Structures are given as structure tokens and as C-alpha cells.
Amino acid sequence: MTDVESIEPGREPLNPAELADTTSGWRVEVVAETGSTNADLLARAETSETGVVRVAELQTGGRGRLERSWISPPGAGLTFSLLVRPDTDVRGWGWLPLLTGLALAQAIGPQARLKWPNDLLLGPEGGKAAGILVQSSGSAVVIGVGLNVTTTAAELPVPTATSLALQGIDERDRAVILRAFLAEFDARYAAWLAESGDAGRSGLAAAYRQACATLGSEVSVQLPASTLRGLAVDIDPAGRLLVRPEGRPGAIALAAGDVTHLRDAAR
């Protein structure tokens, strides 16, 4: 198991007692090492109460979309999952990764932009600094977040990734970032629930559109059996991306897909 001695100097381990005292409404667990915080909470989904947050200093078996592996050095990133039980129509749960991304972007600051459906981008090149994975089990939804905080260029999994440190963002205290995220998530999630999961009435849809770098961009979307290229024009009421293919007047609604930004359109 990983311990605090394996965390490099300058990367402070998280203090579970401090987080427990300063994250009202959430029960935060900090573990030195685990395979996957999402898998941990999914295994407890039937019995765990809502509002539990599991944070790992080192995650060895994390998976993103399309089963991509993801490992961050101990203490370099903020890797956590939270369990909620939204009492809303499951057809609106497609907004949960978008809500999570928006809360994370607001916690980090105005430099952060979002790529539909689950990436946080930083810097002029739009490097990926965080990914989000949402999974459900019965009435429980587990939301996983992996954010590169002090990750160096040599530690990044791919050249197109980045971190808060590499982009010169001053706030690198992972406890501060986690508390800010949970506060932002709380507010957005409560408003969304109050409107029965309606992203329009709750203000979620408008705020997400404002923060989303995908909208107005030429995109390539890798689908299971084909690739779609076109202009990303909007997000529909179910949280799906609307893409207008080249040479066609109508838009296609996508519930999922691997999106690549090709070119920003004039706005």
C-alpha cells in the first residue's frame, strides 16, 4: 500500500480529519491507495448513504471512457468519487457529467473550459486537465473525477494532457480545490433537483453552454461504427450534443462519443 512517505516533497498528503471538518454535508474518506474509487463506491452502492466522497492518493486501476487506463503519481492529482441518489427521471441523468464538469470548472476558475461530455480543458491549446466518469447502479450514481494538479510534463499520460501547475494556476492545494468543488456541486445539484432534473429551469443548461468549448466548434465524433464530422451547435434537454453534419441542414443528437475539437468557429 502507498503511504505518505511515497508522496514526493512539495506534494502534501490530504488530511482526512481536516476535510471531515470542512466539507459540510459530505462524508469524505481518504485512502492511500485503491484500484478505483468509482469501483469502490459502486461495490457499496446498495448500502451506502448518499453524500459519501472517496479520495485516493494513488489510484492504480482507474478507467476513463472507452476503458482507457489512467494513473497519476501519488499526491500529484485529485482523484475522487462521490455517490448520490438523484430522485429524478433517469432520462435526465445525462446532465450529471455536465453538471460535475461545470462545478469543477467553477472551482478552478475562468481559465477552465469544458469539452462535452466529460473533459476539463486548460490553456490556449486546450490541454486535458481532468476527466469525469459517471456510472450508475440502481438508484445510486457514482461520479468519478481525476484532476491533474501538480503533475509534471514527464508524468502526463499523453502529450495533449496538462495540469494546473503546467498552466500556472496558483491554487494547487488539493484540499482547497476539493472543498471548492463540493460547494459548487452542492449548489448546482440542489438547484437541479429542485427543478426535478430540468437543466433549463435550474439554470444548469445556460451555465454549461457558457463554459463549453465544444459548442461552436467543428468537431469529429468517434462513434461505435463510424465517425461523424460537423459543427457542434447546442446541447439538447437530455444533455446530448447536437452536431450538424457537413452539407446537411439538420442536427444529430449524440448521447455519447469521443469528441475531437477540429476548429473553433466564429462566435
Side-chain angles (χ1 to χ4, degrees), residues 34-231:
T34 191
S36 162
T37 56
N38 259 37
D40 291 349
L41 291 189
L42 284 168
R44 296 158 46 185
E46 289 189 10
T47 58
S48 183
E49 71 274 23
T50 189
V52 63
V53 181
R54 189 165 177 85
V55 190
E57 295 286 10
L58 175 65
Q59 181 174 260
T60 58
R63 290 289 183 270
R65 290 192 63 254
L66 305 179
E67 293 300 309
R68 293 176 178 134
S69 62
W70 182 85
I71 297 177
S72 179
L78 183 57
T79 306
F80 64 96
S81 299
L82 56 150
L83 185 148
V84 295
R85 297 183 186 277
D87 185 19
T88 62
D89 191 323
V90 296
R91 289 174 294 183
W93 288 8
W95 277 99
L96 285 169
L98 313 188
L99 186 156
T100 303
L102 180 61
L104 186 62
Q106 291 175 326
I108 291 170
Q111 291 189 46
R113 300 285 289 165
L114 300 171
K115 185 175 83 168
W116 183 92
N118 57 358
D119 290 348
L120 183 138
L121 311 178
L122 289 173
E125 301 301 318
K128 178 177 175 177
I132 297 161
L133 180 64
V134 177
Q135 298 172 287
S136 63
S137 176
S139 66
V141 177
V142 174
I143 302 168
V145 176
L147 170 68
N148 298 325
V149 181
T150 60
T151 319
T152 66
E155 293 169 334
L156 292 172
V158 292
T160 53
T162 191
S163 68
L164 302 190
L166 290 172
Q167 294 302 323
I169 293 177
D170 292 334
E171 186 54 77
R172 302 173 197 174
D173 185 320
R174 293 179 300 146
V176 171
I177 297 167
L178 179 59
R179 286 195 295 268
F181 165 79
L182 291 175
E184 295 286 353
F185 183 93
D186 255 342
R188 288 287 174 192
Y189 184 66
W192 182 72
L193 288 181
E195 295 295 345
S196 302
D198 189 301
R201 292 199 308 266
S202 67
L204 171 59
Y208 183 82
R209 289 186 182 103
Q210 188 67 29
C212 183
T214 303
L215 296 181
S217 295
E218 294 284 349
V219 297
S220 173
V221 186
Q222 186 63 51
L223 303 173
S226 63
T227 299
L228 173 67
R229 180 167 175 156
L231 179 67

Side-chain angles (χ1 to χ4, degrees), residues 236-248:
D236 78 0
R240 298 178 299 179
L241 181 67
L242 299 179
V243 176
R244 187 169 64 233
E246 296 172 333
R248 290 175 56 180

